[in-house]
Amino acid sequence: MASFVRTIPEGDDRERLTCADCGFVAYENPKIVVGSVVAVDGQVMLCRRAIEPRRGFWTLPAGYMEMAETVEEGARREAWEEARARIALEGVLAVYSIARIGQVQVIFRAGLAEPGFEAGPESLEVRLFDWAEIPWGEIAFPSVHWALRRWRESLGAPLGAPATNPPEDARGTSPMEGSAL
Amino acid sequence: MASFVRTIPEGDDRERLTCADCGFVAYENPKIVVGSVVAVDGQVMLCRRAIEPRRGFWTLPAGYMEMAETVEEGARREAWEEARARIALEGVLAVYSIARIGQVQVIFRAGLAEPGFEAGPESLEVRLFDWAEIPWGEIAFPSVHWALRRWRESLGAPLGAPATNPPEDARGTSPMEGSAL
Ligand SMILES: [Zn+2]
Ligand SMILES: [Zn+2]
């Protein structure tokens, strides 16, 4: 297997992960997570994770964007993969930066395009929660808290400019919890 | 140098670029471009590109996001690198997907935080344009047109939900022009 070292490639201005065997430069770019707060009759959809990190904790239907898709297509794909839900997007709710792990999250506000949902392979369970029932102590990641609060604030009004990180973690550098959604 | 081939890694569900020599899987993820429509007294800032693609054409101060920064930090860094401008961000104006090249663009509405700007190393020239003066025939990329139109629509009102792709190029698949900003 390759061994990677950090060096500054010629013509570049910062260190990059470079294969010591063949010189391949693995440019590390921030990764994009796409996901949605899906609401049905005022209840929000959460998925209980079947995989690490944070197995057993609740999260939004969200995951890494793939090549050759749009953010909208990625958000719909993830809702299908994780919750077997066909969703209708209403607009961008939030754009979060998790600088600590090089991640940008584009979170939509959404509803169901067709009735029905169930756990996909990466979920143990998918449920709708009344706001008062949300298991805040069992939420997988800080950004899920942020997105849910933002969703709540956005109700009953046209969707304004998307939220960015809350002031208490403006750069997404808090060492809390796992990394990937 | 390494030779890369497309194969489906074990446990994955689609083809990835893999090093034929050492097996390194170069996961290709969509890349994030961060940039801004910077306005000063109703005029917008454009940079004439000193580099290919689209050398000599006008673009927004924008470029690839780096690891360990936020989208906001990236947008401010790019304004400094390309236009030697210290900018103040007002909010997210648009989130565009250029599916053809695996790119997501997060574009802010911004003003100057301090007076003054000049061409950075990747720009031949930086100028403010009245709306009526914008050289539409010499704009570098379709998404610059999109962002300028969206900026114009957003004036005099709180920033609403960010625009996404216009209907005529909903997936960013039009084969027009260059790729990177
Ligand atoms: Zn190698
Ligand atoms: Zn190799």
Side-chain angles (χ1 to χ4, degrees):
Chain A
M1 242 348 246
S3 71
F4 280 77
V5 294
R6 295 201 162 272
T7 63
I8 301 178
E10 214 179 303
D12 203 335
D13 64 353
R14 62 195 80 192
E15 287 195 341
R16 311 289 180 180
L17 215 52
T18 308
C19 178
D21 300 336
C22 68
F24 174 78
V25 181
Y27 278 91
E28 294 168 285
N29 297 294
K31 290 202 181 69
I32 305 172
V33 164
V34 283
S36 305
V37 178
V38 182
V40 181
D41 297 332
Q43 296 186 300
V44 293
M45 178 182 290
L46 293 174
C47 307
R48 204 152 70 84
R49 294 172 62 82
I51 53 174
E52 296 295 346
R54 304 289 279 167
R55 187 174 195 279
F57 286 73
W58 295 91
T59 191
L60 301 174
Y64 287 112
M65 187 177 171
E66 291 277 354
M67 290 294 288
E69 68 184 3
T70 65
V71 286
E72 292 85 354
E73 289 166 346
R76 286 191 295 260
R77 176 181 52 72
E78 288 290 343
W80 177 253
E81 289 179 5
E82 304 198 352
R84 292 290 180 253
R86 299 292 185 195
I87 65 172
L89 303 178
E90 297 168 5
V92 178
L93 184 69
V95 177
Y96 296 128
S97 299
I98 317 296
R100 185 174 59 83
I101 54 173
Q103 197 178 84
V104 172
Q105 302 184 359
V106 178
I107 307 295
F108 289 87
R109 193 174 77 180
L112 284 184
E114 298 171 11
F117 57 87
E118 62 181 36
E122 296 182 359
S123 302
L124 297 170
E125 185 182 354
V126 177
R127 265 194 58 189
L128 295 174
F129 289 91
D130 282 327
W131 185 256
E133 291 181 320
I134 292 174
W136 296 105
E138 296 163 50
I139 295 292
F141 308 109
S143 57
V144 175
H145 285 258
W146 305 349
L148 289 170
R149 288 204 307 261
R150 166 68 176 162
W151 170 83
R152 176 83 162 173
E153 290 163 10
S154 82
L155 289 180
L159 210 42
T164 51
N165 293 24
E168 68 270 20
D169 194 5
R171 304 191 65 255
T173 48
S174 94
M176 288 174 65
E177 310 177 13
S179 57
L181 275 165
Chain B
M1 239 355 243
S3 71
F4 279 78
V5 294
R6 297 201 160 273
T7 62
I8 300 179
E10 213 179 304
D12 204 336
D13 62 354
R14 62 196 81 192
E15 287 194 342
R16 311 288 179 181
L17 215 52
T18 308
C19 177
D21 300 336
C22 68
F24 175 76
V25 180
Y27 278 91
E28 293 169 285
N29 297 295
K31 290 201 181 68
I32 305 173
V33 165
V34 283
S36 305
V37 178
V38 182
V40 182
D41 296 332
Q43 297 186 301
V44 292
M45 178 181 290
L46 294 175
C47 307
R48 203 151 71 82
R49 293 172 62 82
I51 53 173
E52 296 295 348
R54 304 289 279 168
R55 187 174 195 277
F57 286 74
W58 295 92
T59 191
L60 301 174
Y64 287 112
M65 187 177 172
E66 293 277 355
M67 290 294 288
E69 69 184 2
T70 65
V71 286
E72 293 85 354
E73 290 166 345
R76 286 192 294 259
R77 176 181 52 73
E78 289 290 342
W80 176 253
E81 290 180 4
E82 305 198 352
R84 293 290 180 251
R86 299 292 185 194
I87 65 172
L89 304 178
E90 297 168 6
V92 178
L93 184 69
V95 177
Y96 297 130
S97 299
I98 317 295
R100 186 175 59 83
I101 54 173
Q103 198 178 83
V104 172
Q105 302 183 359
V106 177
I107 308 294
F108 288 86
R109 194 173 77 179
L112 284 184
E114 298 172 10
F117 57 86
E118 61 180 37
E122 296 182 0
S123 303
L124 298 170
E125 187 182 352
V126 177
R127 266 194 58 189
L128 295 174
F129 289 91
D130 282 327
W131 185 256
E133 290 181 321
I134 292 174
W136 295 106
E138 296 162 50
I139 294 292
F141 307 110
S143 56
V144 175
H145 285 259
W146 305 348
L148 288 171
R149 288 204 306 261
R150 165 68 175 162
W151 171 82
R152 176 84 160 170
E153 290 163 9
S154 82
L155 290 181
L159 211 42
T164 51
N165 292 24
E168 68 270 20
D169 194 8
R171 304 191 65 254
T173 49
S174 94
M176 288 174 66
E177 311 175 15
S179 58
L181 273 168

